[in-house]
Every structure is written in C-alpha cells, then in structure tokens.
Amino acid sequence: MKKYRVLIDAIDEKGLVYKISKLFFEYDLNVISNSEYVDNENNKFFMRSVVEGGIDKKKLYDDLIEIMPLKATVKIVDTCKKNIVILATKESHCLGDILIRYEAGELDANILCVIANYDILEPLISKFGIPFHLVSHEGLNRSQHSGLILEKLKEYDHLDYIVLAKYMRILPAEFVETYPNQIINIHHSFLPAFIGANPYKQAYERGVKIIGATAHFVSNNLDEGPIIEQQIKNVNHAHGWTDMRDAGRDVEKVVFSNAIKLALEDKIFIYGNKTIIF
Amino acid sequence: MKKYRVLIDAIDEKGLVYKISKLFFEYDLNVISNSEYVDNENNKFFMRSVVEGGIDKKKLYDDLIEIMPLKATVKIVDTCKKNIVILATKESHCLGDILIRYEAGELDANILCVIANYDILEPLISKFGIPFHLVSHEGLNRSQHSGLILEKLKEYDHLDYIVLAKYMRILPAEFVETYPNQIINIHHSFLPAFIGANPYKQAYERGVKIIGATAHFVSNNLDEGPIIEQQIKNVNHAHGWTDMRDAGRDVEKVVFSNAIKLALEDKIFIYGNKTIIF
Amino acid sequence: MKKYRVLIDAIDEKGLVYKISKLFFEYDLNVISNSEYVDNENNKFFMRSVVEGGIDKKKLYDDLIEIMPLKATVKIVDTCKKNIVILATKESHCLGDILIRYEAGELDANILCVIANYDILEPLISKFGIPFHLVSHEGLNRSQHSGLILEKLKEYDHLDYIVLAKYMRILPAEFVETYPNQIINIHHSFLPAFIGANPYKQAYERGVKIIGATAHFVSNNLDEGPIIEQQIKNVNHAHGWTDMRDAGRDVEKVVFSNAIKLALEDKIFIYGNKTIIF
Amino acid sequence: MKKYRVLIDAIDEKGLVYKISKLFFEYDLNVISNSEYVDNENNKFFMRSVVEGGIDKKKLYDDLIEIMPLKATVKIVDTCKKNIVILATKESHCLGDILIRYEAGELDANILCVIANYDILEPLISKFGIPFHLVSHEGLNRSQHSGLILEKLKEYDHLDYIVLAKYMRILPAEFVETYPNQIINIHHSFLPAFIGANPYKQAYERGVKIIGATAHFVSNNLDEGPIIEQQIKNVNHAHGWTDMRDAGRDVEKVVFSNAIKLALEDKIFIYGNKTIIF
C-alpha cells in the first residue's frame, strides 16, 4: 500500500478535524501520523497527515475540498524523491554536506545539477557525477546573470526546490518570483541580525558572544524571507572574524541540510512571512 | 465558557481521531489545541485536547469511554491550580526558583507546604508565607523517616504532585508507591550517566566536557524513572567539581521548573518507563 | 596570606609576560591562576592574575607601572565583596534570581538597595531585608527621573556596579557617564537583533526560531554597549509572543546572573566596544 | 620567520612562567599566543605557547629542560601538516565530513590512507584520490584482524594520529599500546552513558530527551579514554531509535572533526584520564 502526505491549510472553523478524519475513515486510510496547528491570532488551520491506503488521489482531493471552507489549500503528495538544483559560489562546506548525504542515500532527492558562478567547485562536484554548469557573472549585471541561470534551469522539468549552498549573490525579483517558496537559502548569521554582506565581519565588529546561521525561504526582501531553522554557537574574544567564519561553517551546514530535509518531507507550511513546521 | 483538558491514551485502532473529534463536534466544543501521538512500536495512541464549552464532564467521559477501545484511559481535567508539596534538604536554587515564580503568579499551583530534613531553608521559605515542616532524619532509618513524612503529607488532601527540589535522600518503595507517577525529582546529571550520590564528583573524575540535569518521575529504581526533561552545559578542564556543581545549578533549576510546568499543564503522558510530552 | 587580582591592559610589546612574572617571582607571590590575551589586530595585551602573598599594594602597583609600556592600566584588587545597586521595574525573574543567590551566600556582593519606578516588587524585596526605594517616573521627563535616581545613589558610597534587572527605561547620557562601565543591563534578545522596546513582539513578528538574551554594559547608544554574555533558546511556530517572553525569562535570568558574577570576579576587560572575558 | 608550538607539562612550582618567559625573551621570540593551566589538585603545570623566531630547536629544548623541574615534558613542534590514517566501517558521515574539509584545504593534515573492514566506502574514498585498504575481519578473531591492520599501518612512516571515523570494532590492547594517545574515536553517546554497542538503541530504551556524541582518545578500557569533546541534541518521544541515529550523525561528525582539529593544532594535553584543552 502506498503512502501519501495530505497537506491542508484553511480558515479555521469548528469541526475541521472531525470532517477530515471522517473522510480518512471512510476511505479506510491508515493514519500513520497526524499533526495539526491552529493559529488563533489569524484564525488559520494547518494539518499534515501521512496516510496509507489505496486511493484515487483526484477523488480524495475533490472530497477534501468539498468539506473544507472556501479558499482552503489541499495537497496530496506522493512520498517520492523531489528534484532539486543547487546554486553555489566558492565555499564547499554546505554543498559537500549535501553531496555526502546524497551519496549515502540519505537525501530524499535527485540533484539535477549544480550551477555556480565560479568553477572552483567543479572538481568536487564532478567526483559525484552530478552535472555542473558554470554561469559566470563576469561582465554581466545582476539581471543578465540571473537570466542566464533561469535559462539553464528551464532545461530541467519538475524542479521542486532550488537550494542556495552559500550562493553569494542576490537573486533579483524576476528570479525569486519564478520560483515562489521554492528557493531555500542559508544565511551565515542569526537573522535578523547581520543582514547582507559579511555577517561574520559584522558580528566580529559588534563583539557578539554567539554566532549563528539561518535557513530561510528567499523572498524579494534580502534575508527577510520565512525562517525555517536557526542555530548558534558560542564564541569569545579570541575569535577573529575568520575564526568565527570557520566555526560558523559547522552550524551553517547542519542548519541548511536540516532545512532541506524538512522541505523534502513536506513538513513546512508557509503563512505570511512565517513557517509552521511539523 | 470553561476550558478542559481531555487526556486519552488507548490501544491504537483505525478511526480513533474521527470518533473523538465527532464527539467533540456533537458536543459543540471549541477545540483550542489538539496533539496526538501514535507509538507504532507499541500500537498505542495518545491525545491531549484543550476544549472549551459547556459540558457535563461525567457524560462526556462516559461517551468517550464508550467509543474507545477496551482499557483506554480518559481524563477530563479542569484547568485549575494543582496542589503541590515540595521536599527539600539544604540547597536553595531549585526551591528558590519555584518560590520566585510562585510569588509572581507564574506557577499554576498552590504550594501546600515545604518539608525538609534540615532547618536551613526555613528562613527562606518563611519569607514567602508557606508552611515549613522540619522532619529530621537524625537517628531514624530510611523507612522510619519517610514514614514521618508520609504522615505529615496525609494532613494535606488533594495532593497532585510532590516535587523534590534537591531532596538528597532516597525515598523507599512504600513512599513511592503511595504516590505513583506523582513525584518529580531533579537529578544533577544527564541520566543515565552518574546515577546516585555526588554526580558532579563522578563527572569531574571522568573528565567530561558537559554537565547536565535530568527531571524525572520517581520510580522504585534509583534515578531510573521516566525522564521528563534534560539539558546540559559545557565545561572544561578548569572546572573543579565544585565549579561544575555551581555551574550546574542554573541547568538544574531551569530543567526542574520546566518539568513542573509541564506536569501542572497535564502535558505529560507516562508509558512504560518513558514520557510522551505534548 | 591574602589573595589579590592583578589586572593589566597595555600596548603589547615583547617581554611583557617575562617582566610581569619576574616581578611576581621577586615578590615571592604564589600565582594561583593566570590568563593572558593579545589582541593582535589592535596590538593590545590583557592579563588577569590571581596571586597570593604578603604585599604592599602601592609598591607592587608602582613597580608594575614602571616596567609596563606607557598608558598601561594596572589594577590590584582585593578579593572582597563588591557593592551593587539593583534597578528594577515590574518583573521579578532576574531580580529574584539574584535575591535567591544573595540569600544563599553565592553572590560575592553587598546589595545596597533596590530602586524601582513602580512599587510592585517592594513586597518581594522587603522579604530579603534589602532597602527599597520607589522613584516613580510619573509626571517626570527622562532627565528629571534619572536625576532623582542619581541623587538617591549618591547616598551610597563605594558603589561598584549598578545592575539593571529588567529596568525598562532608557538611562540618559548624564546618568551613563556618571557610572562609566559600571552599569550592566540584560536585554531580552540576541543583540544586535531586536534593539529597543518589545523584542519578543519583534521576534514573534519576524518568525524567528530562536529567542535569546544579552547581558551588556550600558553605553550611550541604546543596546549597543559591550556584550558580556548571550544565550538562546529554541522556539517554534506554536510560541505566541507571550510564550516567547515566558520561555525567554529562563535565559534572561541565567545570562544576567552569570554576567554579574563575571563582573564581581573582575573577569571582564572592556576594550573599545568589546569585552575580553577570562 | 618560522612558528613553533612549545608544549610543556611539569610539576608546578613557583616561578615557572617567569623562567620560561625569560628564556623566550632571551631567544628574542615573538610570543603569538600563550595558554597556561595549573591543576592545583595534582600540582601540575601545563603550557602551550606559539612562538615565532629563528631558533635552534635542540638548543631551546635543552635550555627549557634545564630550567624545568624533574620529569617535565617539553615538546617543540613545527606548525606543519600531520599525518593521519582513517579507520572506518560502513557509515560515511564522519569520514565524509573529513574528506570535504580535506578537499577544501581546511584540514591541517595529510590523509595517508583509509582502512576499512568493509568495501562499502571504497567508491566514496576513491573519488578523493586517497588510498583505500580493505582489511576484512571475516573469519578472523579480533587479534588476527587488528594484526593485519597493524601490518598495513607499518607501511606508513611518521604516523601522527589514527582517527576512527565510526570504526565499529573494538581495538585490542596490543593495537592501542602501539599508538598510545594517538588514536581518536567518536562514540555516539554522551559518555559515560551508553558505553558499548548500539548506544542509540540504549538511549531509545531509556527514554532520554537528549542524545549526544563524544570524541575521546582510545585507551584499553572500552569508551573510557580521555574525553576531548562532547555535544548533545534534544530529542523527544517521537524519535524512534533510527531517528535518534539520524539526528545524532550531525552531532557526531561535528564533534569528531573538532576533536581532530584540536589534535592537529597540538591543543590537547592528556593527564591521567583527562584532557586539558587550550
């Protein structure tokens, strides 16, 4: 029997769980796990169920939509591998962490290709038999450069997520809007502190005692998209900014890989500028 | 309208959520929050719902029991203050943390009294107008001493929890069995490491780089009851065992107070030697 | 034999440790602990030694100054209790944490008094026999109000530190400059994020997955003084801003008490807008 | 000018820092960093200095030995790459983390080879151009198997450290004694809890709320050697033992790589069964 993830968000009203669980019961589904959250402030209902059974997806979808309030979102997702593309620049720690997981079969994804604006990482990527595309930004403005990347991405159908493994360039609005809520970035600070360039230098100048990393969806406001995961590490006066950068890499790669894992498992709901994570 | 916490554990079977949510719907209850967990290994279902509405508790209980599998446990709990007794010895950090919260109205409990086997803490406790009982263990064996405490406790009706705020004596079986799953202890190590006396000395001797604290329910096996919460703190070679003890106090008091808070909010289910915490 | 803390900061040059340790050797001092740090970027040398022996403080000071580079700072501090004053407003968790430590003899300080702009905390403070002064801000501008507090403080000689236990008002420049590097504040966010009012509301709005607290010296730029200690706690989508506030209290009080402890032990050097902590 | 690490441990006596820093001054050395620790309980002195200058290593060594108490240990170490061999079994996360750092030039070491008792990791290792040796344990007792590995190791001169990247077999005494204080292991629990096989299963059975990892030197008592670094991660009731294992991998690899980094930088002193880490 197949497993499906049923993802629902809707305006909250009395009896939603009853109506949904009734339908699951009538479909004779085995409910393997079930998570709900009601945002009382905004009167919103979120639900993620993993169900098992022989179903007609289209029919279940229609039946769910019928019992839900207006404007509800319902998704019934197969538990198969998703397709991702990695964007990178020069640093290998986040990319490498993904590659090692990929090689070990721990990543529930197909890596379609890696695109980078330098060729530094090509030797590493080619070891893993993953297509590498160099799209240099030399002599191009931001829009021209991202346009070339967009063109390259169009060669790949069924792209689920673009993950920015320390891709050090800002993506323009036309890029972000082409992949709404599909682009995951790792920023090397505990946002909203130290937005923008050189957060470790900023952290060093400020004399902080912790450094951190934040995985978030990319929106049109730099480093202000919905946050998925954040972690920190203690530092002290003896850490120069390069020590902070080196120490921070361990936090970055773990936060980044965890965020990707959550996305691949359909565990993230986005509402407004926030995430609900089951 | 009143709020109630509905606590259910049962053998898992298809349709449980449907049946329960149907009943809530028929009772016209407002479901404020809902948490479920299925332990697939043991085929057990756990649910904690906070509902709001005008209900006949006895009737709802009977209706729930009727739709549940055999041997299900159902509790419908008012969201009122619980009654606790604190046992202590000489140290004030865990006790003091509770007293400050109590005074600020942050603790959803009535502290009926504090019982200690030394009088050292009496001046602190008396500041807060809480009855203090000295039950010295001098010249008594374990059973005699705990017998005196049990007698004292019988003066207090409707006792929900006994919390051991660094009570440094082992409670004998007859005591523990009088209050099954009602006694919460804080142990000053990350259990199961360093069971028993002087865990910081043990930690120091072993040369660990972290110290910790564990809040757990007391069972008849020393420091082996169901764990509620654990946290740690980094230490280094410069920490002597008293430095570890001093640093550990901050972890102990926070873990202890958090565990008590979870218990007071009926967020802990015990199954076997484990806890499910919503 | 008495113990002293020798605190030195100076422009770095070859042989400093040699010259200082030679002097200690000639004075026949027992060096109990020794910490040095060289800030290579700014060519600065920092040293904290705990020494034991019978010394003429004035003579040792003169001898140290003689061997040090120009503009060196040398302090020889007795290991006695320091005098602190606490400023508070309405919340009791940071204040209470200090009071419990004070009562247990764990705080190496005399609390001269608590000053607050509301009388809410008076009952708590009076339990501990500490003088309480209400200095209401009602009908006063910032300068007038802080002037009244300054007046009150002048009644206390030999004041070492003013600690702001969630004192929720901004201190004007004339106040801060009266006590340079002597005022320690606890801010309820991981600075530099969420400066100013209502950091938990700001954090909630931003949808962060961690909350934190920062202890820092007060400078004339709001929440921008030298940071002493920072810690964080994980939160999730289910935390409303008041849940964040409640969860954050445990972080605040521990960070605040730790920072005060470091100050009382003369373990903090301030250089520019940063701290060196031994 | 070259840099050297001067590593000294000795019985503590008055004037040690003075005598050593006098020698450094007379040698006209630039002291880049300096860390000392006195273990007052055992009356032991430890010091790690990074110095820069033109020196005759043999002469400086002799001069240092001359001024030190009897039985002092003095090492003057060039800051060059050390030689390491990796032992592995089937899991790739710790090994992969090292390989990615190695490829990026972040590891101050030459990886001479990887030896494993299965061939599963060969494809990964061969990508990085590192010699791989399969030494199967099939049909061999522990002593025979480790004997074959020892033989293989003898092909490599100047071996500084053997790092066990989740090498899942116990090394017999004759192996451990051949490389005293040179073997670093990563154990997948917060030791001393859950010694031996399947610590995640043990952790799951116990119902802990944290899991962890410990990097330690290998001694002849299983999982009881000197601890270098430990970290933990929170888990909850929803983590089955394989979830704990998966979540734990991130902790393991970071703790392991950090411990190796400390060893490569000569920052670890071993005394008794403990480490002093500068």
Side-chain angles (χ1 to χ4, degrees):
Chain A
M1 281 203 298
K2 280 192 69 176
K3 285 182 189 174
Y4 302 89
R5 295 169 192 149
V6 182
L7 312 170
I8 298 172
D9 70 277
I11 294 168
D12 189 36
E13 61 175 38
K14 217 176 267 190
L16 280 186
V17 173
Y18 160 54
K19 290 172 189 166
I20 297 165
S21 58
K22 181 167 185 279
L23 211 54
F24 288 175
F25 188 68
E26 290 167 358
Y27 269 76
D28 196 30
L29 293 175
N30 192 14
V31 180
I32 291 167
S33 75
N34 204 31
S35 303
E36 308 140 36
Y37 174 65
V38 174
D39 176 343
N40 289 308
E41 192 186 32
N42 296 297
N43 200 36
K44 283 279 293 182
F45 171 87
F46 302 91
M47 184 169 175
R48 178 186 184 272
S49 295
V50 181
V51 299
E52 198 178 34
I55 60 164
D56 176 338
K57 270 170 70 176
K58 179 71 181 68
K59 190 172 177 320
L60 178 58
Y61 175 85
D62 290 343
D63 286 348
L64 279 166
I65 284 291
E66 179 144 343
I67 60 171
M68 299 304 293
L70 283 178
K71 295 189 194 172
T73 306
V74 173
K75 289 180 198 164
I76 303 173
V77 184
D78 291 351
T79 57
C80 62
K81 289 194 179 191
K82 296 199 194 305
N83 295 318
I84 68 174
V85 164
I86 302 173
L87 264 61
T89 292
K90 291 176 177 177
E91 287 176 282
S92 67
H93 56 288
C94 286
L95 173 66
D97 199 65
I98 298 174
L99 294 175
I100 295 294
R101 289 172 200 256
Y102 188 61
E103 177 81 7
E106 290 171 24
L107 201 71
D108 216 16
N110 304 304
I111 301 179
L112 303 182
C113 70
V114 179
I115 300 172
N117 56 325
Y118 288 92
D119 61 4
I120 289 175
L121 296 170
E122 180 165 21
L124 175 64
I125 294 154
S126 65
K127 291 184 204 306
F128 291 83
I130 295 167
F132 174 83
H133 306 296
L134 172 64
V135 181
S136 171
H137 63 282
E138 284 290 317
L140 303 177
N141 64 27
R142 193 182 307 286
S143 181
Q144 290 169 327
H145 180 238
S146 83
L148 291 182
I149 298 178
L150 276 177
E151 242 172 72
K152 184 57 72 183
L153 288 172
K154 275 171 201 154
E155 296 175 14
Y156 297 94
D157 292 340
H158 305 299
L159 178 52
D160 292 295
Y161 288 103
I162 298 168
V163 301
L164 311 185
K166 302 283 288 182
Y167 178 69
M168 305 306 275
R169 291 175 59 82
I170 296 170
L171 294 171
E174 64 263 29
F175 192 107
V176 174
E177 284 156 15
T178 310
Y179 297 99
N181 295 338
Q182 290 179 277
I183 310 172
I184 295 174
N185 184 43
I186 180 72
H187 184 73
H188 35 314
S189 80
F190 42 86
L191 289 174
F194 310 129
I195 283 173
N198 279 326
Y200 290 122
K201 269 194 188 157
Q202 294 183 51
Y204 172 73
E205 294 303 330
R206 179 60 188 93
V208 291
K209 300 299 183 185
I210 52 174
I211 54 170
T214 304
H216 64 96
F217 287 103
V218 175
S219 70
N220 276 329
N221 298 312
L222 182 61
D223 298 332
E224 295 192 1
I227 293 172
I228 304 168
E229 181 154 329
Q230 304 185 280
Q231 278 306 334
I232 61 102
K233 187 166 182 165
N234 296 325
V235 291
N236 60 41
H237 60 267
H239 285 79
W241 84 262
T242 54
D243 303 307
M244 289 184 176
R245 180 198 61 199
D246 294 350
R249 282 181 177 145
D250 287 341
V251 185
E252 292 170 29
K253 73 187 177 197
V254 168
V255 167
F256 187 50
S257 289
N258 283 354
I260 293 171
K261 191 168 184 284
L262 290 168
L264 295 177
E265 294 174 349
D266 297 302
K267 288 190 168 173
I268 311 174
F269 286 77
I270 298 176
Y271 179 64
N273 203 41
K274 299 185 186 181
T275 60
I276 290 96
I277 297 180
F278 288 125
Chain B
M1 281 202 298
K2 279 191 70 175
K3 285 182 189 176
Y4 301 89
R5 297 170 190 148
V6 182
L7 312 170
I8 298 172
D9 71 276
I11 294 167
D12 190 36
E13 60 175 37
K14 215 175 269 190
L16 281 186
V17 172
Y18 161 54
K19 290 172 189 166
I20 296 164
S21 58
K22 182 167 185 278
L23 212 53
F24 288 174
F25 188 68
E26 289 167 357
Y27 269 77
D28 196 31
L29 293 176
N30 191 14
V31 180
I32 291 167
S33 76
N34 204 30
S35 304
E36 308 141 34
Y37 174 65
V38 174
D39 176 343
N40 289 307
E41 193 186 32
N42 296 297
N43 200 37
K44 283 279 293 182
F45 171 87
F46 302 91
M47 185 168 175
R48 178 187 184 274
S49 294
V50 180
V51 298
E52 197 178 36
I55 59 164
D56 176 338
K57 271 170 70 176
K58 178 71 180 68
K59 189 171 177 323
L60 177 58
Y61 175 85
D62 290 343
D63 286 348
L64 279 166
I65 283 292
E66 179 142 342
I67 60 171
M68 299 304 293
L70 283 178
K71 294 190 193 169
T73 306
V74 172
K75 288 182 200 163
I76 303 173
V77 183
D78 292 350
T79 57
C80 62
K81 289 194 178 191
K82 296 199 195 303
N83 295 318
I84 68 173
V85 164
I86 303 173
L87 264 62
T89 292
K90 291 177 177 176
E91 286 176 283
S92 67
H93 55 288
C94 286
L95 174 66
D97 198 64
I98 298 174
L99 294 177
I100 295 295
R101 289 172 200 257
Y102 189 60
E103 177 82 7
E106 289 171 25
L107 201 71
D108 215 16
N110 305 305
I111 301 179
L112 304 182
C113 69
V114 179
I115 300 172
N117 55 326
Y118 287 91
D119 61 4
I120 289 175
L121 296 170
E122 181 166 19
L124 176 63
I125 294 154
S126 64
K127 289 184 205 308
F128 291 83
I130 295 167
F132 174 83
H133 305 297
L134 171 64
V135 182
S136 172
H137 63 283
E138 283 290 318
L140 304 176
N141 64 28
R142 193 181 308 285
S143 181
Q144 290 168 327
H145 181 239
S146 83
L148 290 182
I149 298 179
L150 277 177
E151 241 171 73
K152 183 56 71 181
L153 288 172
K154 275 171 201 151
E155 297 174 15
Y156 296 94
D157 291 340
H158 304 298
L159 179 52
D160 292 294
Y161 288 104
I162 299 168
V163 300
L164 311 184
K166 302 284 288 184
Y167 178 69
M168 304 305 275
R169 294 175 58 82
I170 297 169
L171 294 171
E174 64 262 30
F175 192 106
V176 174
E177 284 155 14
T178 309
Y179 297 100
N181 295 338
Q182 289 179 276
I183 310 173
I184 294 174
N185 184 43
I186 180 72
H187 183 74
H188 34 314
S189 79
F190 42 86
L191 290 174
F194 310 129
I195 283 173
N198 278 327
Y200 290 122
K201 268 194 189 157
Q202 294 182 53
Y204 172 73
E205 294 304 330
R206 179 61 188 91
V208 291
K209 301 297 185 188
I210 52 174
I211 54 170
T214 304
H216 64 96
F217 287 102
V218 175
S219 71
N220 276 329
N221 299 312
L222 182 61
D223 297 332
E224 295 192 1
I227 292 172
I228 304 168
E229 180 153 331
Q230 304 187 279
Q231 278 307 333
I232 62 101
K233 187 167 182 166
N234 296 325
V235 291
N236 60 42
H237 59 267
H239 285 80
W241 84 262
T242 53
D243 303 307
M244 289 183 176
R245 180 199 60 198
D246 294 350
R249 282 181 177 146
D250 286 340
V251 185
E252 292 169 28
K253 73 186 176 197
V254 168
V255 167
F256 187 51
S257 289
N258 284 354
I260 293 171
K261 190 168 184 284
L262 290 168
L264 295 178
E265 294 175 348
D266 297 302
K267 289 189 166 173
I268 313 174
F269 286 77
I270 298 177
Y271 178 64
N273 202 42
K274 298 184 186 181
T275 59
I276 290 96
I277 296 180
F278 290 124
Chain C
M1 282 202 296
K2 279 191 69 175
K3 286 183 189 175
Y4 301 89
R5 296 169 191 148
V6 182
L7 312 170
I8 298 173
D9 70 277
I11 294 167
D12 190 34
E13 61 176 35
K14 217 176 268 188
L16 280 187
V17 172
Y18 160 54
K19 290 172 188 167
I20 296 165
S21 58
K22 183 169 184 277
L23 211 54
F24 288 174
F25 188 67
E26 290 167 357
Y27 268 77
D28 196 30
L29 293 176
N30 192 15
V31 179
I32 291 168
S33 76
N34 204 29
S35 303
E36 307 140 36
Y37 174 65
V38 174
D39 176 342
N40 289 308
E41 193 186 31
N42 295 297
N43 201 37
K44 283 279 293 182
F45 172 87
F46 302 91
M47 184 169 175
R48 178 187 184 273
S49 294
V50 180
V51 299
E52 196 179 36
I55 60 163
D56 176 338
K57 271 170 70 175
K58 179 71 180 68
K59 191 172 176 323
L60 178 57
Y61 176 84
D62 291 344
D63 286 349
L64 279 166
I65 284 291
E66 178 144 342
I67 60 172
M68 300 303 293
L70 282 178
K71 295 189 192 170
T73 307
V74 173
K75 289 182 198 164
I76 303 173
V77 184
D78 292 351
T79 57
C80 61
K81 289 193 178 189
K82 296 199 195 305
N83 296 317
I84 67 173
V85 164
I86 303 173
L87 264 62
T89 292
K90 291 178 178 176
E91 286 176 284
S92 68
H93 56 290
C94 286
L95 173 67
D97 199 65
I98 298 175
L99 294 176
I100 295 295
R101 289 172 199 257
Y102 189 60
E103 177 83 6
E106 288 171 25
L107 200 72
D108 216 16
N110 306 304
I111 301 179
L112 304 182
C113 68
V114 179
I115 300 172
N117 55 325
Y118 288 92
D119 60 4
I120 290 175
L121 296 170
E122 182 165 19
L124 175 64
I125 293 153
S126 64
K127 290 184 204 310
F128 291 83
I130 295 168
F132 174 83
H133 305 297
L134 171 64
V135 181
S136 171
H137 62 284
E138 284 289 319
L140 304 177
N141 65 28
R142 193 182 307 287
S143 181
Q144 290 169 326
H145 181 238
S146 84
L148 291 182
I149 298 179
L150 277 176
E151 242 171 72
K152 184 56 71 182
L153 288 171
K154 274 171 201 153
E155 297 173 14
Y156 296 95
D157 292 339
H158 305 299
L159 177 52
D160 292 295
Y161 288 104
I162 298 167
V163 301
L164 312 184
K166 302 283 288 183
Y167 178 69
M168 305 304 276
R169 291 175 59 82
I170 297 170
L171 295 171
E174 64 263 29
F175 192 106
V176 175
E177 283 155 15
T178 309
Y179 296 100
N181 295 339
Q182 289 179 277
I183 310 173
I184 295 174
N185 184 43
I186 180 72
H187 184 73
H188 35 314
S189 79
F190 42 87
L191 290 174
F194 309 129
I195 284 173
N198 278 327
Y200 290 122
K201 268 193 188 158
Q202 294 182 52
Y204 172 73
E205 295 302 330
R206 178 62 189 91
V208 291
K209 301 298 185 185
I210 52 175
I211 53 169
T214 304
H216 63 95
F217 287 103
V218 175
S219 71
N220 276 329
N221 299 312
L222 182 62
D223 297 332
E224 295 192 1
I227 292 173
I228 303 168
E229 181 154 329
Q230 303 186 281
Q231 277 308 332
I232 62 102
K233 187 166 183 166
N234 296 325
V235 290
N236 60 42
H237 60 267
H239 286 79
W241 84 262
T242 53
D243 302 307
M244 289 185 175
R245 181 198 61 199
D246 294 349
R249 282 182 177 145
D250 286 341
V251 185
E252 292 170 28
K253 74 186 176 197
V254 168
V255 167
F256 186 51
S257 289
N258 283 355
I260 292 171
K261 190 169 184 285
L262 290 168
L264 296 177
E265 294 174 349
D266 298 302
K267 289 190 166 173
I268 311 174
F269 286 77
I270 298 176
Y271 178 64
N273 202 42
K274 298 184 186 180
T275 60
I276 291 95
I277 296 180
F278 289 125
Chain D
M1 283 203 295
K2 281 192 65 176
K3 285 183 189 175
Y4 302 90
R5 295 169 191 149
V6 183
L7 312 170
I8 299 172
D9 71 277
I11 294 167
D12 189 36
E13 60 175 37
K14 216 176 268 190
L16 279 186
V17 171
Y18 160 53
K19 290 172 189 166
I20 296 164
S21 59
K22 182 169 185 278
L23 212 53
F24 287 174
F25 189 66
E26 289 167 358
Y27 268 76
D28 195 30
L29 292 176
N30 191 14
V31 180
I32 291 167
S33 75
N34 204 31
S35 303
E36 308 141 34
Y37 175 65
V38 174
D39 176 343
N40 290 308
E41 192 186 32
N42 296 297
N43 200 37
K44 284 278 293 181
F45 171 87
F46 302 90
M47 184 168 175
R48 178 186 184 273
S49 294
V50 180
V51 299
E52 197 179 35
I55 60 163
D56 177 339
K57 270 170 69 175
K58 179 70 181 68
K59 192 173 176 319
L60 178 59
Y61 176 85
D62 290 344
D63 286 349
L64 278 166
I65 284 291
E66 179 143 342
I67 60 171
M68 298 304 293
L70 284 177
K71 296 188 191 170
T73 306
V74 172
K75 288 181 199 164
I76 304 173
V77 185
D78 291 350
T79 57
C80 61
K81 289 193 178 191
K82 296 198 195 304
N83 296 317
I84 68 173
V85 164
I86 303 172
L87 264 62
T89 292
K90 291 177 178 177
E91 286 175 283
S92 67
H93 56 289
C94 286
L95 173 66
D97 198 65
I98 298 174
L99 294 176
I100 295 294
R101 289 171 200 258
Y102 188 60
E103 177 82 6
E106 290 171 24
L107 201 71
D108 216 16
N110 305 305
I111 301 178
L112 303 182
C113 69
V114 179
I115 300 173
N117 55 324
Y118 288 91
D119 60 5
I120 289 174
L121 296 170
E122 182 166 18
L124 175 63
I125 294 154
S126 65
K127 289 184 205 308
F128 291 83
I130 296 167
F132 175 83
H133 305 297
L134 171 64
V135 182
S136 172
H137 63 282
E138 284 289 318
L140 304 177
N141 64 27
R142 193 181 308 286
S143 182
Q144 290 168 326
H145 181 239
S146 84
L148 290 182
I149 298 179
L150 276 175
E151 241 172 73
K152 184 55 73 183
L153 288 171
K154 274 171 201 152
E155 296 174 16
Y156 297 93
D157 292 339
H158 305 299
L159 178 52
D160 292 295
Y161 288 103
I162 298 168
V163 300
L164 311 184
K166 302 282 287 182
Y167 178 69
M168 304 305 275
R169 292 176 57 82
I170 296 169
L171 295 170
E174 64 263 29
F175 192 106
V176 174
E177 284 155 13
T178 309
Y179 297 100
N181 296 338
Q182 290 179 277
I183 310 173
I184 294 174
N185 184 42
I186 180 72
H187 184 74
H188 35 313
S189 79
F190 42 87
L191 288 175
F194 310 129
I195 283 173
N198 277 328
Y200 290 121
K201 267 193 190 159
Q202 294 182 54
Y204 172 72
E205 293 304 329
R206 178 60 187 90
V208 291
K209 300 298 184 186
I210 52 175
I211 55 170
T214 304
H216 64 96
F217 287 103
V218 175
S219 70
N220 276 329
N221 298 312
L222 182 62
D223 297 332
E224 295 193 0
I227 292 171
I228 303 168
E229 180 154 329
Q230 304 186 280
Q231 278 307 332
I232 63 101
K233 188 168 181 165
N234 296 325
V235 289
N236 60 41
H237 60 266
H239 285 80
W241 84 261
T242 54
D243 303 307
M244 289 184 176
R245 181 197 63 199
D246 294 350
R249 282 181 177 146
D250 287 340
V251 185
E252 293 170 28
K253 74 185 177 198
V254 168
V255 167
F256 187 51
S257 289
N258 283 355
I260 293 170
K261 190 168 184 284
L262 290 168
L264 295 177
E265 294 175 349
D266 297 302
K267 289 191 166 172
I268 312 174
F269 286 77
I270 298 177
Y271 178 65
N273 203 42
K274 298 184 186 180
T275 60
I276 290 95
I277 296 180
F278 289 124

